[in-house]
Amino acid sequence: MKLIVAIVQDKDSNRLSAGLVKANFRATKLASTGGFLKAGNTTFMIGVDDSQVENVMNVIRNSCKVREQLVTPVTPMSGTTDSYLPLPVEVQVGGATVFVLPVERFEHF
C-alpha cells in the first residue's frame, strides 16, 4: 500500500479531482497554502495499492500543468526603500509536488 500526497495549485485542483474520480480513485482534498508565493494550494491524499501508483501519477501528470506567472517581489524590510522599484518577475507555477509514502495498514469503512 502507498499513500500519495500531491500538492497542486488551486487552478489545477478541479481538473485533478475530476480526473481521479473518472479513473475510480478516491482522494481526500485539503486546503493548503504555499510558502513561496503564499498562494492557495490543494493537497490531495490518495491511498492505493502498489500496482496503482503509476496510474495515479499519470492522472496527476495529465491534470497539473506548469505555467509562467508574473510576481512582484516584496519590498525589503531593512534599508531605504526610496530607490527600490519592485519590477515583476516571471516565475514558474503550477505542476505538482508529489510524495509517495509506504503505508503499513489501510482500511476503508
Side-chain angles (χ1 to χ4, degrees):
M1 298 297 303
K2 300 288 188 216
L3 173 64
I4 300 172
V5 179
I7 304 161
V8 304
Q9 194 175 36
D10 279 345
K11 289 182 181 180
D12 295 324
S13 174
N14 289 337
R15 190 177 319 112
L16 177 55
S17 185
L20 290 169
V21 168
K22 185 176 178 182
N24 267 343
F25 293 113
R26 296 173 183 233
T28 298
K29 287 173 58 172
L30 304 170
S32 53
T33 304
F36 177 62
L37 297 176
K38 309 235 184 321
N41 290 329
T42 302
T43 300
F44 287 82
M45 296 183 0
I46 310 153
V48 295
D49 288 321
D50 290 356
S51 62
Q52 296 175 312
V53 170
E54 278 310 309
N55 294 334
V56 173
M57 296 299 280
N58 286 332
V59 172
I60 295 169
R61 212 175 274 115
N62 293 329
S63 302
C64 304
K65 303 298 180 193
V66 174
R67 57 193 151 273
E68 302 291 326
Q69 178 176 321
L70 287 176
V71 177
T72 304
V74 178
T75 306
M77 297 295 277
S78 62
T80 172
T81 59
D82 295 336
S83 63
Y84 180 73
L85 296 172
L87 297 174
V89 177
E90 195 170 62
V91 296
Q92 284 189 343
V93 297
T97 301
V98 182
F99 301 90
V100 180
L101 308 167
V103 173
E104 186 175 318
R105 184 173 174 175
F106 175 76
E107 294 186 29
H108 180 76
F109 300 104

